[in-house]
Amino acid sequence: MARIRVCCAVVGVLALLIATNASPLPQTAVAAPESSEESGEIEGIMKEVQEMCSNNSGSDAAFLNLMESFQRTMVCSMSAIDLDSFMSDIDSLSNETRTTFFPRYCPQLRTAYSCIDKLVNDFRPCLEEDDYTIVRAMVGILPDALDLMCKNDGELLFKFEEPKYAECFDKIGDSFNECTNTFLNGTDDWDISHMTEPQCNTMTGFRQCVQDKMNICKAPDLISVYDLFHNALFRMTPCRNYVTLQKVEIIDNNAIDED
């Protein structure tokens, strides 16, 4: 049975891998030791994945194979990126240097993404079939998320650095919790593959709530990142019969030159 918490746990592991290797953060932030809270969260995710593997496969072999696959994926993804230069350039990344940073590294990050395909396949024994189908679809939109990040030399990312947006989001930060508390309480055990029309409307209400908060800061285009995941989820569930999806347009000027 496809539960929201199951899909979030699996996508969380994959997101952790991508963030570890490809996050455009200052070097000091990447190198900083994990806090006990962060370590506890990661440990909790891994424990849940281990339980899923054991419950669905009947042994610990699937989880052990998954961990080996995780390590191989780490090596593959790191070898796809000129890591020393990447970390050095991240340290000096600014609005002035982003016009050279993103065209150089976005193709490398796309190559690194291709490394996770086997890892996703190795999740199959750990998941029920409907869980795996949905997780596969969710992971499949990560290239589009990367395209959004790379679009116009990181324009979307750098909006968060602009004082007018940063100050606004800081002021309304607690308002986003209102969206979660109002719409998402009690959703952990929803069966994603059999979502009802009221449940789909709840998810649509959550999206609209987030959109309204972003509109306060005059940054409506930032919802496009969430829409990638929102739309992928809805296409794989009965929600596609009840809700019209928002179109996400990606014009990527940092794509790999195939000529």
Side-chain angles (χ1 to χ4, degrees):
M1 184 178 294
R3 304 290 191 184
I4 286 180
R5 61 181 178 81
V6 169
C7 295
C8 288
V10 176
V11 174
V13 170
L14 296 170
L16 174 64
L17 170 68
I18 293 169
T20 300
N21 291 285
S23 178
L25 295 172
Q27 186 171 0
T28 53
V30 174
E34 294 176 352
S35 68
S36 57
E37 182 179 353
E38 291 171 339
S39 179
E41 290 176 356
I42 294 172
E43 184 178 342
I45 290 174
M46 298 309 295
K47 183 177 180 180
E48 185 163 4
V49 171
Q50 184 175 12
E51 290 175 355
M52 287 191 298
C53 291
S54 178
N55 292 338
N56 284 283
S57 69
S59 74
D60 293 330
F63 180 73
L64 295 175
N65 181 61
L66 186 63
M67 291 300 95
E68 291 178 1
S69 182
F70 186 87
Q71 293 297 326
R72 289 192 296 269
T73 302
M74 290 280 286
V75 173
C76 174
S77 59
M78 291 179 70
S79 66
I81 303 171
D82 184 355
L83 201 57
D84 289 340
S85 296
F86 182 71
M87 298 305 296
S88 176
D89 289 344
I90 281 178
D91 201 35
S92 59
L93 182 59
S94 67
N95 200 46
E96 289 71 33
T97 63
R98 68 187 179 96
T99 55
T100 56
F101 178 90
F102 286 93
R104 179 178 183 183
Y105 293 109
C106 284
Q108 294 183 26
L109 294 177
R110 292 186 181 93
T111 301
Y113 166 80
S114 67
C115 295
I116 74 171
D117 193 58
K118 187 178 186 305
L119 177 62
V120 176
N121 288 335
D122 287 338
F123 264 107
R124 184 185 286 272
C126 299
L127 300 170
E128 295 182 13
E129 193 59 33
D130 54 353
D131 290 337
Y132 179 78
T133 299
I134 291 174
V135 166
R136 184 93 204 180
M138 297 292 283
V139 173
I141 59 90
L142 291 178
D144 285 340
L146 179 60
D147 285 346
L148 273 179
M149 183 182 76
C150 293
K151 180 182 176 182
N152 296 332
D153 302 321
E155 179 183 27
L156 197 64
L157 289 177
F158 274 82
K159 273 194 173 181
F160 290 103
E161 298 296 321
E162 294 181 25
K164 63 179 180 180
Y165 294 118
E167 292 173 8
C168 182
F169 282 120
D170 185 55
K171 290 179 181 178
I172 69 168
D174 291 340
S175 296
F176 286 101
N177 291 332
E178 295 176 9
C179 298
T180 302
N181 294 334
T182 301
F183 292 98
L184 298 187
N185 279 341
T187 62
D188 282 356
D189 290 326
W190 281 4
D191 183 352
I192 297 179
S193 59
H194 296 91
M195 285 178 69
T196 64
E197 185 171 2
Q199 290 172 338
C200 296
N201 290 338
T202 295
M203 296 302 295
T204 301
F206 172 75
R207 182 205 174 277
Q208 186 60 54
C209 183
V210 173
Q211 175 76 84
D212 291 343
K213 305 304 180 187
M214 291 183 174
N215 287 344
I216 294 174
C217 294
K218 296 182 173 58
D221 53 328
L222 296 183
I223 195 68
S224 59
V225 178
Y226 172 77
D227 277 342
L228 288 173
F229 294 90
H230 178 90
N231 292 352
L233 175 63
F234 273 36
R235 290 190 191 101
M236 296 299 298
T237 69
C239 293
R240 63 182 177 273
N241 300 318
Y242 309 129
V243 178
T244 300
L245 300 179
Q246 298 294 319
K247 185 177 181 180
V248 180
E249 294 187 3
I250 302 173
I251 301 175
D252 181 16
N253 69 338
N254 297 130
I256 300 173
D257 187 355
E258 301 289 353
D259 297 331

